[in-house]
Amino acid sequence: MEKRAWFSNTPLALALAAPQVLLVLVFFYWPSGAALYWAFTLEQPWGGGNTFVGLDNFRAIFADAHYWNSVFLSVVFAVASTALAMTLGMLLALAVDRRLKGHAGFRWALIWPYAIAAPAAGLAFRFLLSPEAGMIAYLNHSFPGLWNPVVNGTQAMILIIVAYSWKYVAYNFLFMLAGLQSIPKSLVEAGAMDGARPLRRVRDIQLPLLTPTIFFLVIVNLTDSFVDSFGIVDLTTEGGPNKSTELLVYKIYFDGFRGLDYSGAAAQSIILMLLVIVLTFVQFRFVERKIHYS
């Protein structure tokens, strides 16, 4: 039987909901509407009005080679960071689920990193992997030039992928551990009695039953990697060297706040929002077919 909560005092219900509705309108819909308006106008950087230019901002973006380079870098970053965070989260969840020695402390130690903000994680990795004073600085003394993300674009990309994935390993670990512990132990034990070794039990029993959780985490990881990576990039590489780590979200900030190209940045933000929507739709439309929920 369907149960619904009814408020006999309608004014009181509206008064209770008003603060949340007001926050959503002010901090989501109003900025989104302003960005959509600016995307079709040419905003004066120091005030003084604007001019309607139609699709000119979008034409300029699609003709910019630096923009397509940012698209490529963002895709590489999203795929690599999602794969790394998902793989490590799965391995750690399997280890804890098997009750390895010290699993309780292991679990709590893995949960804490998710409470750390992305900018703080980026700042920590900037110092940890510094070529002059970081943990691996001694390697540069033995092998000069081995690690220097300040001048090497590939190493800079590796740095932001590792820093970003480190934070999401804890997030993936929590969901995967919960999923593994919801699988009936009798199924795994039956596999063991049939002679299946641990790796095969994971492949043929646990992973198929975990596909809904994995599907959800892939969507969240990929989506967040496109829109939530600004803090990591800004505090580790600032988009460099030579724009080798200038992801889409950082290019929007750079063009808008440093280049004072408000209209171009607004148009890029609209394209990024559409990209995330399309990416999520494609995953639900095609990938979800391979998911087994029972």
Side-chain angles (χ1 to χ4, degrees), residues 180-194 201 205-206 209:
L180 286 171
Q181 294 186 339
S182 68
I183 297 175
K185 297 300 179 186
S186 58
L187 293 177
V188 181
E189 293 170 356
M193 293 177 64
D194 287 341
R201 295 200 294 272
I205 299 175
Q206 292 176 303
L209 294 174

Side-chain angles (χ1 to χ4, degrees), residues 11 13 32 46 50 54 66 117 141 165 258 286-287 294:
S32 299
W46 306 111
N50 54 64
H66 291 304
H141 294 300
S165 303
R258 295 193 182 182
F286 298 103
V287 181
S294 60

